[in-house]
Amino acid sequence: MKTGVEKLTDVMAHFLGHTAIRLPDDVIAKLEELRDKEDHPLAKVIYRTMFRNQRLAEELQRPSCQDTGVSQYWVRCGTAFPYINELEDLLREATIQATFETPLRHNSVETFDEYNTGKNVGKGTPTVWWDIIPHSDQCEIYTYLSGGGCSLPGCATVLMPGEGYEGIVKFVMDRMTSYGLNACPPLLIGIGVGTSVETAALNSKKALMRPVDSHSDNPRAAKMEKLLEDGINALGLGPQGMGGHYSVMGVHIENTARHPSVIGCALNVGCWSHRRGHIIFDKDLNFTTDTHSHFVYEEK
Ligand code: SF4
């Protein structure tokens, strides 16, 4: 019989491994929708290859993409969750366990010392962002396998107020017409708006955690999401950048308030292999996930 810490570590290791192999339900549905809407012959071939890749990943129990990224966790943890004190250490252990069991590619290189730890952990990795939720005993964890070609190389800037919201559009479109193809389309575009370079950057990552096809609850931001989606689709990148009518799975904007003299904005791009997971534990470690309906955990 496992202790609570051992069980939580084991569930997280298996969940992370599962997300490396099987894409989230909403991403699969969106890829099917875009595949069916494309009429370019090459786009059809690429989607067929993607779905064959996914079928083989599950049959052979291998990762969806060779770059299994850096493990990132956004934790929304209640102050009364019984494992709050152990959580960061156990997520590190879960990452090591998933690295060897799944397996995941070794993607943690100690900076300056320049050696690969071989375990996907290092100084400050995996990345853990915390939101502490008062008066709650549950814990919600977003997992993300962040690839070196997609959502690790985001970018951020702080605009002068005179540049206005048009400045955000220019910033995004300038980047999409240059580095957009660095990741494998169709892309999920995360845009963060805030008061500084770091708040905008974190907002842009959180934007990628929203369900595909969701919209900002601010009507003006939601309108900008739609306009940017149409504008980026009009670039004609298509799947894998080989041409097509649909270049994006969606555009998500997350925003927080700003100082009147600045507009911080950031761009973060998820690729077609958008390996995000979302799992929620209660205090007894019963869990639910709304991203991976096929995830089954068997305690051994
Ligand atoms: S952009 Fe995504 S699908 Fe392409 S190589 Fe990187 S992780 Fe894999």
Side-chain angles (χ1 to χ4, degrees), residues 236-270:
L237 304 177
Q240 293 291 9
M242 302 301 280
H245 299 297
Y246 301 95
S247 306
V248 295
M249 293 191 278
V251 176
H252 295 175
I253 298 177
E254 284 295 301
N255 60 297
T256 46
R258 65 182 179 86
H259 185 288
S261 63
V262 292
I263 306 176
C265 68
L267 174 65
N268 209 315
V269 172

Side-chain angles (χ1 to χ4, degrees), residues 65-67 147 149-150 182-184 271-273 275:
C65 175
Q66 44 75 36
D67 183 2
C150 47
N182 200 39
C184 300
C271 61
W272 75 271
S273 184
R275 292 149 299 173

